[in-house]
Amino acid sequence: MAKLRLFPTRDASARAAAHRAMARAALFSDSSTRTRLKRYNHHTEKARALEEQAGHPLHVVYLARSATRLEIHAPTWQDALRRTGRADACLVEQTGEREFEVTFSGESPRVIDYRLHYGTAAAALRAVLDYVVHHLEVAAGAHGVES
């Protein structure tokens, strides 16, 4: 069954502007000072979050060792990887049914195009994440550093 929306969706910057207007209106409403401040703070916080979301695209990042999927709003994919604070963070984009493009090591980026001929998309994703872990372990062994 199709989901019916009562209000059309707007972009994040338009919603942020609406919340800023609601925050200003809350200051002059016919309520107690405590209630007006509470509403003002709620709408300004919501507007800030929406503005941040509007300014930065969403990046799908995986932690290769645990296969944990994270969605991070950041200006660039390198910033998205840095925000995780993990060496095994990698940007994953599905390019086909069992095909993935994985980018990792933000300072000296590596890109892997991976296609699994048999199996599921989940198996292909796990295989490419295992390859990233293997590459990181080999690179750490070559430099004498543990990751």
Side-chain angles (χ1 to χ4, degrees):
M1 175 178 248
K3 185 176 180 179
L4 178 66
R5 294 196 130 183
L6 296 177
F7 303 103
T9 57
R10 296 178 290 172
D11 64 339
S13 59
R15 290 176 52 215
H19 277 284
R20 281 194 303 275
M22 287 185 273
R24 285 189 300 275
L27 290 176
F28 301 105
S29 66
D30 190 20
S31 307
S32 68
T33 305
R34 182 178 184 179
T35 301
R36 287 184 287 164
L37 181 62
K38 182 179 171 183
R39 288 179 185 159
Y40 174 80
N41 288 336
H42 167 76
H43 288 296
T44 54
E45 179 65 31
K46 191 80 164 170
R48 275 191 210 110
L50 288 166
E51 285 171 343
E52 181 178 324
Q53 182 181 351
H56 304 301
L58 181 68
H59 299 281
V60 177
V61 175
Y62 278 84
L63 303 179
R65 294 190 199 294
S66 64
T68 304
R69 182 180 194 267
L70 304 171
E71 293 181 352
I72 300 174
H73 288 280
T76 64
W77 65 268
Q78 291 98 336
D79 289 331
L81 296 182
R82 277 189 217 107
R83 287 184 184 185
T84 65
R86 301 270 305 259
D88 65 334
C90 52
L91 182 73
V92 176
E93 295 179 50
Q94 189 166 2
T95 56
E97 186 178 341
R98 291 180 302 267
E99 299 174 16
F100 292 92
E101 181 178 291
V102 179
T103 309
F104 61 101
S105 297
E107 284 69 36
S108 57
R110 302 270 315 214
V111 178
I112 300 171
D113 287 320
Y114 188 84
R115 177 187 299 164
L116 185 67
H117 294 285
Y118 304 104
T120 63
L125 177 63
R126 185 67 248 177
V128 76
L129 292 176
D130 287 342
Y131 180 79
V132 169
V133 170
H134 173 73
H135 176 78
L136 292 171
E137 289 173 352
V138 167
H143 298 342
V145 179
E146 292 185 26
S147 57

